[in-house]
Amino acid sequence: MERVDRCVVLVDAGYLLGAAASLLAGEPARSRITVDHSALIQGLRERAEADTEQPLLRIYWFDGAPDRVPQPEHRRLRVMPRVTVRLGALTRSDGRWAQKGVDAAMHAELTELARNRACSDVVLVTGDGDLLPGLMSAKEHGVAVHLWAVQAADGDYNQSEDLVAEADERRVLDRAWITKAVRAKDLGGVCTPSPAPRPEIAAILSAPLPESALAASAERAAQAQTQTAAPAGRNGSTAQPTTHESEPHPAPTGGKGVPTPKDLASLRAPHPDRQPAPPQHPGGATLRWSSDKGWVERPGGGTSGEPPETASLPTLAQLTSAEQRWADREEDITTVGGDPFEVGQVFARRWMERLPETTHVQKLSVMYPRVPHRIDGELLRYAARFGLLAHKDDQIDEHDRYAIRAGFWREIDVRAAQEG
């Protein structure tokens, strides 16, 4: 079998991006950097073809993912020309994430390419010495092996010395090359408080709890204050906690960080540019609302399960044809980044564009901040496509759920304002 003169690039994403984070942000956490994957892939291709003087056959991108579920970046990468994504498992142990199966997959691919004479040159972007047997096997099959390193931070060595010794050629991707596609996130210093949430999310998170919950919480707070009262000082006075009058005092929430959908079900939270809606349901009736644990009965609703004004709202699936479903999937893969807020916006935009009656938008807008059960469930299932799952229990992270719904409401508000 005659060998084909072309090059292949095998990228250990954990090494490439972790080393880039160390170089640019001072620590190997990939969360500390942002990556322009299109620019990175283009840079890898151009550099490989220049170094090997051979046309590119393919770039293999090896990475880990929880339960091997493609994350948003993997979904974007795998539809790029000449890019193949191979995923290993990503597991958490002792508070740290670790890749499983990535090295083995790289070894198998490298050995198979060399055995089948699929290329004349292989570029390895890795630092792991476990790949040494595969590198040596490729050389025995007549393949030239080029080993690329990421410039190490502070003079550290970030590659196996055995790999360096066995490679035919070695190059270093320096800071100037890396920063064409990767940059450090500006976190504003370690002691800087976290940025405030988007106004739409803040509005949902700041919605008051039902009066019953507030009363019970206030009672618990009073009991706790009595039990923890400071002892009298030497002059017989009781020490008082220091307060700042300029700071607002939030209502007690019974230890809960944010109200849940169950808590919000009986509320009409204030919202910018919207007049409070009059009560929709007779007192003493029951509103059945969705929470993470299923249906929850709350005071103040109708008697048929879901409120009549929302039960008539069609779901996105009912409004979508087979052709539109295919186009939606294509858009999800190629242009939707997977940010929770953006996901909610995209879903709402499609739903509104396909509604047969514009009155549905007005019906929904007065329900803020509650998303009707059927639409809410469909919205969260759609979001799960983008890897927005906490894989421990297959539930979407609490803050992500609020961000998804806030994005949904932002689009609803824009359309309602236009039609109003």
Side-chain angles (χ1 to χ4, degrees):
M1 183 185 298
E2 185 178 354
R3 185 182 66 236
V4 180
D5 290 333
R6 53 194 179 188
C7 68
V8 171
V9 181
L10 276 63
V11 180
D12 179 349
Y15 166 77
L16 173 59
L17 300 182
S22 293
L23 178 64
L24 302 181
E27 59 179 282
R30 287 163 62 169
S31 60
R32 294 292 307 277
I33 57 175
T34 57
V35 183
D36 182 341
H37 290 90
S38 296
L40 182 57
I41 292 299
Q42 184 63 27
L44 290 170
R45 177 171 186 166
E46 293 174 355
R47 181 71 177 263
E49 291 182 336
D51 280 8
T52 65
E53 299 181 348
Q54 302 294 345
L56 177 76
L57 170 62
R58 189 173 298 116
I59 295 175
Y60 289 90
W61 185 272
F62 296 87
D63 203 1
D67 297 337
R68 291 186 168 86
V69 176
Q71 301 300 292
E73 64 183 86
H74 303 137
R75 300 172 70 254
R76 291 193 294 272
L77 282 164
R78 65 185 184 181
V79 296
M80 293 181 183
R82 302 298 181 105
V83 176
T84 296
V85 175
R86 298 277 189 261
L87 294 179
L90 192 63
T91 59
R92 193 170 182 85
S93 177
D94 297 328
R96 300 182 62 183
W97 289 101
Q99 295 183 157
K100 300 293 183 182
V102 173
D103 296 334
M106 288 188 72
H107 178 278
E109 199 71 58
L110 175 59
T111 304
E112 196 69 14
L113 288 167
R115 181 184 297 118
N116 291 328
R117 296 181 174 271
C119 58
S120 58
D121 296 75
V122 168
V123 175
L124 295 178
V125 187
T126 186
D128 198 332
D130 290 345
L131 210 59
L132 182 62
L135 184 154
M136 298 176 66
S137 176
K139 290 174 61 178
E140 292 172 359
H141 284 88
V143 174
V145 179
H146 305 251
L147 183 65
W148 288 1
V150 175
Q151 179 182 336
D154 301 325
D156 291 339
Y157 209 69
N158 59 15
Q159 277 187 314
S160 163
E161 293 187 21
D162 291 334
L163 280 183
V164 174
E166 286 292 335
D168 295 305
E169 301 282 350
R170 184 172 185 260
R171 297 286 186 272
V172 176
L173 305 176
D174 60 17
R175 180 186 293 267
W177 190 93
I178 292 293
T179 52
K180 292 178 181 178
V182 183
R183 65 179 179 85
K185 292 181 179 178
D186 184 11
L187 300 181
V190 177
C191 297
T192 301
S194 302
R198 297 175 190 261
E200 298 82 1
I201 301 176
I204 295 177
L205 299 185
S206 63
L209 292 174
E211 293 182 3
S212 58
L214 288 175
S217 177
E219 182 179 352
R220 287 193 298 269
Q223 293 174 352
Q225 186 174 1
T226 301
Q227 294 172 0
T228 59
R234 293 182 179 178
N235 60 358
S237 62
T238 302
Q240 298 295 329
T242 302
T243 60
H244 301 279
E245 294 184 358
S246 60
E247 296 180 1
H249 298 276
T253 58
K256 296 170 61 177
V258 293
T260 67
K262 182 171 64 175
D263 297 321
L264 294 173
S266 62
L267 304 175
R268 293 282 171 170
H271 190 269
D273 304 324
R274 180 183 295 138
Q275 296 297 322
Q280 302 266 333
H281 309 290
T286 299
L287 167 65
R288 303 189 66 189
W289 189 247
S290 62
S291 75
D292 295 333
K293 298 180 180 179
W295 288 102
V296 176
E297 294 190 349
R298 306 294 294 176
T303 57
S304 59
E306 195 171 357
E309 69 273 20
T310 61
S312 62
L313 294 176
T315 63
L316 180 60
Q318 294 170 335
L319 299 170
T320 303
S321 66
E323 293 78 7
Q324 288 173 323
R325 189 172 297 110
W326 184 90
D328 289 349
R329 197 66 169 171
E330 185 74 10
E331 182 184 8
D332 290 343
I333 293 172
T334 57
T335 63
V336 180
D339 173 76
F341 190 85
E342 178 192 12
V343 167
Q345 288 180 299
V346 171
F347 181 93
R349 193 178 306 128
R350 290 175 183 167
W351 183 76
M352 290 185 294
E353 287 173 351
R354 296 166 193 173
L355 284 173
E357 301 177 16
T358 58
T359 55
H360 288 309
V361 176
Q362 298 298 333
K363 287 181 180 179
L364 180 62
S365 65
V366 299
M367 299 298 297
Y368 180 88
R370 303 172 296 170
V371 183
H373 171 70
R374 292 178 304 131
I375 296 177
D376 189 52
E378 190 180 34
L379 170 62
L380 296 181
R381 287 193 298 272
Y382 169 69
R385 298 181 188 175
F386 296 88
L388 297 173
L389 289 177
H391 293 271
K392 180 180 179 181
D393 54 3
D394 288 332
Q395 294 290 329
I396 296 178
D397 177 77
E398 181 179 51
H399 185 271
D400 285 347
R401 290 200 304 270
Y402 282 108
I404 292 164
R405 290 160 176 152
F408 176 87
W409 280 118
R410 163 55 68 87
E411 290 301 306
I412 297 296
D413 284 348
V414 170
R415 176 64 66 86
Q418 292 173 348
E419 295 176 355

